[in-house]
Amino acid sequence: MKNIIKVFGISSLLVLGSCSDDFITKTPYTQQVEENFYKTPSDALKGLVAAYDILQREGYGGWLMNTEIASDNCYGGFGTAASNVDVERDRFQFISDKEMNNPIWENDYIGIYRANVLLQNLDNIDWGTDTALKTQYEAEAKFLRAFYHFRLARVFGDIVPLDHTLSSSEFETPRASAEVTYKLIAEDFKFAADNLGNQNYSTPGNDNYGRVTKWAAEAFLAKAFLFYTDYYNKADLAGVVSKSEAITYINDVVNNSGHNLVSNFSSLWLASSASESATYAGEGNTEAVFAIRYNGSGNANWNLHDGNRFKVNISTRGGNYGVYGQGWGGGTVTASLYNAYGAGDVRRDATIIDYAGEALGYDAEANGQRQYTGYGWKKGARVTGEQGSGDFQIDNTEDIYLMRFSDVLLMAAELNLDSNASFAQACLDRVRNRAYGVTDNSHSVPATLANILNERRLELALEGDRWFDLIRQGMDVTAAAVNATSLGGEFAVTFRPETQGWFALPQSQVLISNGSITQNPGW
């Protein structure tokens, strides 16, 4: 808003001519802008909500879709008459759409900007004696700033980290080293972890469900530690968090958060519970450490983002089939993922639609489904009538998990491998027991790094983790998993290690940077 006002003021000079300078430098009295807005705690809450609001923009061409297509879990899919961009994304090509990753860049930087605006104005608020509320809002805003930076850094590698809003002289700021970016990420997550209370908002009907908690901050701090130290071969998280500290944080979530696994894996998603005859656990279940909260308001208003727009991308192309609502058929699931599950593992049928196995009578050719494998997303897929009276494309209701307690357990298993092997084993066993519907560890496997990483694929498939679990192991491991050169035709995929696992920057950002930003390697 500040920049918009400046542009308006400059253009007005050409029109007003002899009007006094005093007229155009007065603070606006009839509208709220940044300069006169942040006065009360209520104003600060509105600013915080604005920073949260960007989470809901996980829509078309978003972070979850793009990262899963890059992994060995999915092909590009969508329709035979659709653009080639998702097939090119699947094949690590950069041809028809030079802005293919722009929604990720744009939305996350808007989120960073909004968080920074609030953080810069906290001292302008009259908090009275409620300094604890100021600290809480600061912690939530810093968590969100770290979250958006972390998403950008895991996708694009070196980025422009921003701990303040930019002045016009800083518009051509170059990208920083990973160490600089992750230092800011670590400091922000750590501030949130150390300054938020012990509340657990994952109870049905809780008014604060969807807000950041101490437990979410500790979990994401551990996730950032694992990715950074693995990918960049470092001993600690940018000099801010040591491994022992990361272990303390993640173990705190395991032992003290009050979060737990729901008893039935299939109950975690609407489509999974409907198809597997499981009672839906609901969005406020104990396993949800942090999630994007949506509602199907029925407005059918494309200018709003309150409904889940992501679902239509990956839902069944061509119409409603069984309990599954129609969508665009993006991200067709690989046979590799389907076949990775062991006999009796309930996660397979809760995660993946098997069109033939479920006798859905699906005709891929008639429905124009591209790269049809016989398998589709079930986690997060639309269910028939989910949108109510709204638009089926934009008014779906289900939340998107950003951190589940099972992820916490698997990170705890990985981090504790060397220092507390029995605890690592117990954490892994909890996840596998639930997967096989047992309590006696009869499906236990040794807590090794390889087994934990494999378990992460099975447990967290189609939730946006697989690509990063691959590239943090190195380009050889990524290529071995992703390459599908023997399949031929539309299923042939060859990973290009020269990209170093990073996505192509939006070409527009390279062009407007006036040379301060160059395209990522391999693109």
Side-chain angles (χ1 to χ4, degrees), residues 24-45:
I24 61 171
T25 57
K26 289 286 188 183
T27 299
Y29 293 106
T30 59
Q31 58 181 311
Q32 289 184 321
V33 294
E34 183 182 328
E35 288 82 358
N36 69 3
F37 178 70
Y38 288 97
K39 302 297 181 184
T40 69
S42 177
D43 296 337
L45 178 60

Side-chain angles (χ1 to χ4, degrees), residues 214-224 250 253 289 403 408 411:
K214 167 190 179 70
W215 315 115
E218 290 184 330
F220 273 98
L221 195 58
K223 189 178 284 281
I250 199 64
V253 188
V289 179
M403 178 66 67
V408 170
M411 288 192 292

Side-chain angles (χ1 to χ4, degrees), residues 105-153:
W105 182 278
E106 181 178 297
N107 289 335
D108 285 324
Y109 270 117
I110 292 174
I112 291 167
Y113 170 78
R114 291 184 179 184
N116 278 333
V117 168
L118 174 61
L119 289 167
Q120 290 174 188
N121 282 281
L122 287 177
D123 289 337
N124 297 328
I125 303 294
D126 181 5
W127 298 98
T129 59
D130 199 353
T131 56
L133 185 62
K134 177 185 178 183
T135 301
Q136 178 188 335
Y137 285 8
E138 181 180 2
E140 289 185 69
K142 285 187 173 179
F143 173 94
L144 291 169
R145 183 170 69 179
F147 177 83
Y148 295 129
H149 274 112
F150 188 36
R151 295 217 306 184
L152 288 165

Side-chain angles (χ1 to χ4, degrees), residues 6-61:
K6 287 180 178 178
V7 171
F8 174 77
I10 292 170
S11 64
S12 297
L13 286 172
L14 303 176
V15 177
L16 297 172
S18 61
C19 292
S20 68
D21 288 344
D22 187 59
F23 176 82
I24 61 171
T25 57
K26 289 286 188 183
T27 299
Y29 293 106
T30 59
Q31 58 181 311
Q32 289 184 321
V33 294
E34 183 182 328
E35 288 82 358
N36 69 3
F37 178 70
Y38 288 97
K39 302 297 181 184
T40 69
S42 177
D43 296 337
L45 178 60
K46 292 174 183 176
L48 182 60
V49 169
Y52 273 107
D53 181 66
I54 298 300
L55 293 171
Q56 292 183 319
R57 298 193 183 186
E58 186 58 63
Y60 309 129

Side-chain angles (χ1 to χ4, degrees), residues 234-438:
K234 301 291 186 179
D236 59 32
L237 180 52
V240 179
V241 176
S242 67
K243 184 172 183 179
S244 63
E245 290 172 320
I247 291 171
T248 298
Y249 280 119
I250 199 64
N251 289 2
D252 191 32
V253 188
V254 173
N255 296 322
N256 302 311
S257 68
H259 286 287
N260 206 340
L261 299 178
V262 301
S263 59
N264 189 336
F265 182 85
S266 301
S267 70
L268 286 165
W269 296 270
L270 279 170
S272 305
S273 58
S275 69
E276 299 303 302
S277 301
T279 301
Y280 180 46
E283 294 166 337
N285 66 73
T286 186
E287 194 161 335
V289 179
F290 190 51
I292 305 173
R293 193 171 191 185
Y294 292 104
N295 67 80
S297 59
N299 288 323
N301 186 338
W302 287 78
N303 293 318
L304 300 177
H305 293 266
D306 293 336
N308 185 328
R309 297 188 177 193
F310 175 76
K311 282 171 159 274
V312 74
N313 285 285
I314 49 86
S315 294
T316 303
R317 187 173 188 83
N320 299 331
Y321 284 82
V323 300
Y324 310 117
Q326 69 169 319
W328 309 142
T332 51
V333 174
T334 63
S336 166
L337 177 59
Y338 186 84
N339 294 328
Y341 291 93
D345 190 333
V346 301
R347 294 175 297 188
R348 186 194 69 183
D349 292 343
T351 299
I352 302 168
I353 300 173
D354 177 1
Y355 286 100
E358 296 181 39
L360 294 171
Y362 188 73
D363 188 330
E365 184 175 356
N367 289 322
Q369 175 65 63
R370 184 170 58 194
Q371 292 181 300
Y372 180 66
T373 62
Y375 306 115
W377 291 51
K378 187 177 292 187
K379 280 183 182 177
R382 294 187 61 250
V383 295
T384 305
E386 179 184 348
Q387 79 283 0
S389 61
D391 190 307
F392 80 94
Q393 301 170 89
I394 62 174
D395 286 318
N396 299 293
T397 61
E398 189 173 15
D399 292 355
I400 294 177
Y401 296 111
L402 297 173
M403 178 66 67
R404 289 195 291 116
F405 188 65
S406 60
D407 192 357
V408 170
L409 288 171
L410 292 174
M411 288 192 292
E414 186 172 347
L415 283 165
N416 281 277
L417 270 177
D418 296 331
S419 57
N420 192 344
S422 62
F423 184 67
Q425 186 69 59
C427 289
L428 178 59
D429 285 343
R430 288 177 69 179
V431 175
R432 287 187 63 81
N433 282 345
R434 197 259 302 266
Y436 288 90
V438 300

Side-chain angles (χ1 to χ4, degrees), residues 72 75 90 334 336 478-495:
D72 55 342
Y75 291 105
D90 180 34
T334 63
S336 166
T478 304
V482 171
N483 285 350
T485 54
S486 63
L487 295 179
E490 64 180 341
F491 300 106
V493 175
T494 302
F495 173 63

